[in-house]
């Protein structure tokens, strides 16, 4: 099956704008996620895209390319705009088509799959005379995924896990419409060359939802009892982290990130803000010599009974944790520091961040809120940026060259010796500058414009040169061959703090 994906707008054409967002960025993010998911999970699919980055393409370039390639289906991704009260999802086929056309049939299926997961108001299935659905020779559909002009919808758009769900909904629809065959398994048997007959390891990714992590087993038991009162089943899993034993309260394991996130949301709704997901690679080895250690204590997905019902088409997938090439993982997987991206969601609450620091420095300023807010806005892992600040400022004790009054939490422009670096007018601006500086390294995209540029060194950064934390080694900190690892070690401690 040949799928042509057309993320709307791009380059000089930002599309609709509102609430600090450009349509072209959201459409591209969703389309890239669709591509990743469908190529990962289904057999015999080819994907072409009108653009895979922020480039300008005319409408006729898009339709001509799809026609020349002889695509089986053309899918255009757009974001709507109107007055601020309009909200919701709708999709369009060409208005010259009847309800018995193939496009109309595909619209029925895809519409119902997308609306299941996108948390948007259903505005219905529609017809219109748009260029790309008129001029393409194959069945085509244009989806309008919420209103950028509406606060509720725009808030969702900023969230990469929402983009992921929307992408998954589109994929579920296409898979159904075209009867795509799911890849049998993502398990990858590995045979070592040294002992080919005795050591065979099969790895599998599992997404486990935890609610709290404690150093005291009693506290963990209290939590389990409390959860039981709310009809949430849980168990205690002990794990060793840098020599210390921690007791984590585990709710369930899932084979897809989407299902784990769904459960996480439910737990949060029940009043727990310390729930988190850990991505674990579990391995089964046929000999006693385990060649790949699980990240944490092994959880057995077979015995974990997720209590949430899942939509049928996603429940068997083993790999939906897919994002654009610049952010390969959505959840903490510190097992693989080299791949842990700067862009991504923030898992820790502002209180968790502040409390972590105050255990070491009770006089530390409370900056967690700023890291969460700006992290979310720029799509950066705010809690890891917070860990970076802890590392840079020595738990905000400022034992290096930067003075506390500078509000410079990441040593921007401080090159050592007597060079104290930049100063910011208040705490909030200091955090903003740090996140903008991270944004400059993490992506080549233009800086979203809701907040003024306060990072004095933004233009000096080799844009997009460090998509991961470890790629900052030798860039943010010179020489700094372990800079990123130290940040991630701190972040891991923060995650496991009870
Ligand atoms: Zn558009």
């Amino acid at each position: 099956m040949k799928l042509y994906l057309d993320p709307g707008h791009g380059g000089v054409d930002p599309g609709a704008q509102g609430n600090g967002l450009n349509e072209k960025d959201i459409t591209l993010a969703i389309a890239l996620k669709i591509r990743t998911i469908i190529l990962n999970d289904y057999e015999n699919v080819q994907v072409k895209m009108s653009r895979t980055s922020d480039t300008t393409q005319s409408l006729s370039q898009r339709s001509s390319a799809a026609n020349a390639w002889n695509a089986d289906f053309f899918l255009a991704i757009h974001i709507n705009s109107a007055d601020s009260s309009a909200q919701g999802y709708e999709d369009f086929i060409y208005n010259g088509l009847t309800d018995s056309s193939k496009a109309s049939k595909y619209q029925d299926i895809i519409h119902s799959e997308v609306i299941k997961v996108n948390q948007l108001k259903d505005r219905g299935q529609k017809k219109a005379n748009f260029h790309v659905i008129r001029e393409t020779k194959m069945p085509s559909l244009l989806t309008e995924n919420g209103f950028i002009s509406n606060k509720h919808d725009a808030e969702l758009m900023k969230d990469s896990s929402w983009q992921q769900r929307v992408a998954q909904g589109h994929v579920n629809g296409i898979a159904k419409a075209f009867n795509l065959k799911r890849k049998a398994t993502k398990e990858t048997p590995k045979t070592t060359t040294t002992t080919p007959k005795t050591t065979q390891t099969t790895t599998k990714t599992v997404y486990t939802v935890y609610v709290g992590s404690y150093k005291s087993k009693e506290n963990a038991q209290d939590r389990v009892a409390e959860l039981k009162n709310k009809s949430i089943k849980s168990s205690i899993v002990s794990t060793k982290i840098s020599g210390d034993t921690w007791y984590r309260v585990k709710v369930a394991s899932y084979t897809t990130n989407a299902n784990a996130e769904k459960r996480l949301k439910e737990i949060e709704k029940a009043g727990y803000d310390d729930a988190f997901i850990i991505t674990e690679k579990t391995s089964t080895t046929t000999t006693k010599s385990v060649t790949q250690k699980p990240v944490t204590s092994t959880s057995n997905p077979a015995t974990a009974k997720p209590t949430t019902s899942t939509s049928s088409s996603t429940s068997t997938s083993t790999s939906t944790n897919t994002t654009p090439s610049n952010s390969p993982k959505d959840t903490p997987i510190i097992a693989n520091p080299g791949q842990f991206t700067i862009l991504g969601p923030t898992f820790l609450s502002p209180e968790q961040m502040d409390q972590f620091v105050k255990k070491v420095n009770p006089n530390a300023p409370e900056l967690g809120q700023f890291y969460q807010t700006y992290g979310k806005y720029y799509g950066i892992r705010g809690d890891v940026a917070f860990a970076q600040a802890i590392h840079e400022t020595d738990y905000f004790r400022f034992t290096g060259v930067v003075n506390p009054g500078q509000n410079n939490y990441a040593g921007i422009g401080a090159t050592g010796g007597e060079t104290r670096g930049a100063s910011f007018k208040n705490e909030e601006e200091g955090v903003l500058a740090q996140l903008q500086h991270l944004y400059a390294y993490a992506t080549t995209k233009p800086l979203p414009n809701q907040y003024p540029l306060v990072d004095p060194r933004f233009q000096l950064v080799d844009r997009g040169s460090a998509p991961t934390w470890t790629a900052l080694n030798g860039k943010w900190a010179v020489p700094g061959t372990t800079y990123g690892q130290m940040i991630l070690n701190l972040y891991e401690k923060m995650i496991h703090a009870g």
Side-chain angles (χ1 to χ4, degrees):
M1 186 258 178
K2 287 160 89 172
L3 171 66
Y4 193 91
L5 282 174
D6 178 28
H9 314 277
V12 296
D13 169 20
Q17 294 177 297
N19 288 298
L21 297 170
N22 290 325
E23 177 182 358
K24 65 174 182 178
D25 299 326
I26 314 293
T27 59
L28 180 61
I30 294 170
L32 286 168
K33 287 174 159 66
I34 291 174
R35 180 176 70 172
T36 311
I37 297 169
I38 204 162
L39 291 177
N40 268 346
D41 290 358
Y42 292 93
E43 286 178 2
N44 299 320
V45 182
Q46 289 172 269
V47 177
K48 264 201 179 169
M49 294 179 68
S50 56
R51 62 186 185 97
T52 54
S53 60
D54 189 17
T55 56
T56 309
Q57 300 283 325
S58 72
L59 293 176
S60 55
Q61 278 176 317
R62 298 170 198 242
S63 53
S64 305
N67 289 339
W69 187 45
N70 236 332
D72 295 306
F73 188 58
F74 181 98
L75 176 62
I77 305 292
H78 282 256
I79 301 292
N80 233 326
S81 179
D83 68 77
S84 61
S85 65
Q87 61 172 163
Y89 169 85
E90 61 196 15
D91 43 39
F92 296 89
I93 59 169
Y94 173 46
N95 63 9
L97 295 171
T98 66
D99 290 347
S100 56
S101 63
K102 266 190 179 172
S104 178
K105 200 184 99 193
Y106 296 150
Q107 182 182 29
D108 289 345
I109 299 170
I110 294 169
H111 183 96
S112 77
E113 288 300 322
V114 173
I115 211 75
K116 270 185 203 169
V117 294
N118 70 359
Q119 298 164 276
L120 296 174
K121 193 179 144 195
D122 187 353
R123 298 170 63 89
Q125 300 173 212
K126 301 181 177 180
K127 291 180 184 175
N129 187 21
F130 299 139
H131 174 100
V132 291
I133 49 177
R134 183 185 67 237
E135 298 300 326
T136 41
K137 291 181 185 138
M138 67 292 309
S140 59
L141 182 72
L142 185 148
T143 65
E144 293 277 5
N145 299 274
F147 284 73
I148 209 163
S149 42
N150 176 266
K151 239 191 150 57
H152 165 266
D153 288 6
E155 217 31 64
L156 288 173
M157 283 168 208
K158 292 172 187 170
D159 181 358
S160 89
S161 65
W162 177 83
Q163 297 166 4
Q164 181 76 15
R165 279 194 297 281
V166 169
Q168 183 72 58
H170 282 82
V171 170
N172 294 347
I174 295 166
K176 240 185 194 175
F178 289 86
N179 245 324
L180 297 182
K181 192 164 171 250
R182 187 178 279 281
K183 285 183 182 168
T185 173
K186 270 287 275 186
E187 293 178 19
T188 46
K190 281 182 204 153
T191 308
T192 63
T193 46
T194 44
T195 52
K197 275 173 193 164
T198 52
T199 310
Q200 188 159 17
T201 306
T202 308
T203 60
K204 199 176 193 177
T205 305
V206 177
Y207 307 89
T208 305
V209 180
Y210 295 92
V211 198
S213 185
Y214 302 92
K215 274 196 135 176
S216 131
K217 197 172 183 179
E218 272 183 17
N219 288 344
Q221 285 164 339
D222 287 351
R223 174 55 69 86
V224 170
E226 194 187 318
L227 287 164
K228 202 180 165 198
N229 281 335
K230 299 194 176 186
S231 305
I232 299 170
K233 268 195 203 167
S234 63
S235 59
I236 297 172
V237 179
S238 67
T239 181
K240 277 220 153 148
I241 297 154
S242 37
D244 295 330
T245 301
W246 291 84
Y247 300 93
R248 289 171 170 172
V249 177
K250 173 181 156 182
V251 176
S253 293
Y254 299 88
T255 52
T256 71
N257 187 34
N259 288 339
E261 283 193 359
K262 196 173 160 191
R263 186 64 176 144
L264 182 74
K265 290 265 149 66
E266 289 169 2
I267 302 283
E268 283 170 349
K269 264 200 178 154
Y272 297 95
D273 58 5
D274 56 351
F276 57 95
I277 299 172
I278 300 259
T279 307
E280 293 161 323
K281 288 213 189 303
T282 56
S283 6
T284 28
T285 308
T286 53
T287 65
K288 276 168 196 159
S289 63
V290 179
T291 54
Q292 185 174 0
K293 271 192 181 170
V295 191
T296 62
S297 62
T298 320
S299 61
N300 185 346
T303 59
K305 285 196 193 100
T307 50
T308 175
S309 68
T310 57
S311 81
S312 59
S313 45
T314 58
S315 58
T316 55
S317 164
T318 53
S319 170
T320 59
N321 186 15
T322 44
T323 44
S325 51
N326 65 351
S327 67
K329 286 277 181 283
D330 256 344
T331 47
I333 172 159
I334 318 232
N336 220 336
Q339 307 205 339
F340 200 71
T341 50
I342 290 174
L343 298 180
T346 301
F347 284 97
L348 297 174
S349 68
E351 296 73 34
Q352 285 173 305
M353 295 185 227
D354 292 335
Q355 278 166 18
F356 180 82
V357 162
K358 289 196 171 196
K359 275 180 199 154
V360 176
N361 174 13
N363 300 319
E366 295 187 353
L367 304 176
Q369 188 62 56
F370 300 138
Y371 281 93
Q372 190 194 49
T373 305
Y374 291 128
K376 202 172 171 200
Y377 177 70
Y378 289 113
I380 289 172
R381 297 181 194 274
D383 42 13
V384 185
F386 189 84
Q388 181 186 29
I390 293 174
H391 174 67
E392 287 276 356
T393 62
D394 189 22
Y395 291 83
F396 301 96
R397 290 177 295 199
F398 294 93
T399 50
V401 296
V402 177
N403 289 326
Q406 291 176 249
N407 297 310
N408 184 345
Y409 304 118
I412 292 173
T415 50
E418 280 312 295
T419 315
R420 291 187 177 276
S423 291
F424 303 98
K425 69 172 191 244
N426 54 34
E427 295 173 348
E428 187 169 2
E429 197 185 80
V431 177
L432 182 59
Q434 181 190 348
L435 290 222
Q436 290 176 342
H437 207 61
L438 282 168
Y439 189 90
Y441 273 110
T443 171
T444 54
K445 285 186 188 164
L447 189 73
N449 58 12
Q450 188 176 329
Y451 303 103
L453 178 65
V454 294
D455 169 23
R457 301 182 65 81
F458 189 90
Q459 315 295 351
L460 303 173
V461 172
D462 181 9
R463 295 297 314 278
S465 61
T468 63
W469 295 94
T470 54
L472 293 173
N473 295 354
K475 293 196 170 83
W476 198 301
V478 182
T481 50
T482 56
Y483 183 68
Q485 286 83 348
M486 286 194 280
I487 292 169
L488 293 178
N489 284 346
L490 266 168
Y491 179 52
E492 176 127 324
K493 277 191 197 160
M494 288 166 67
I495 281 190
H496 300 307

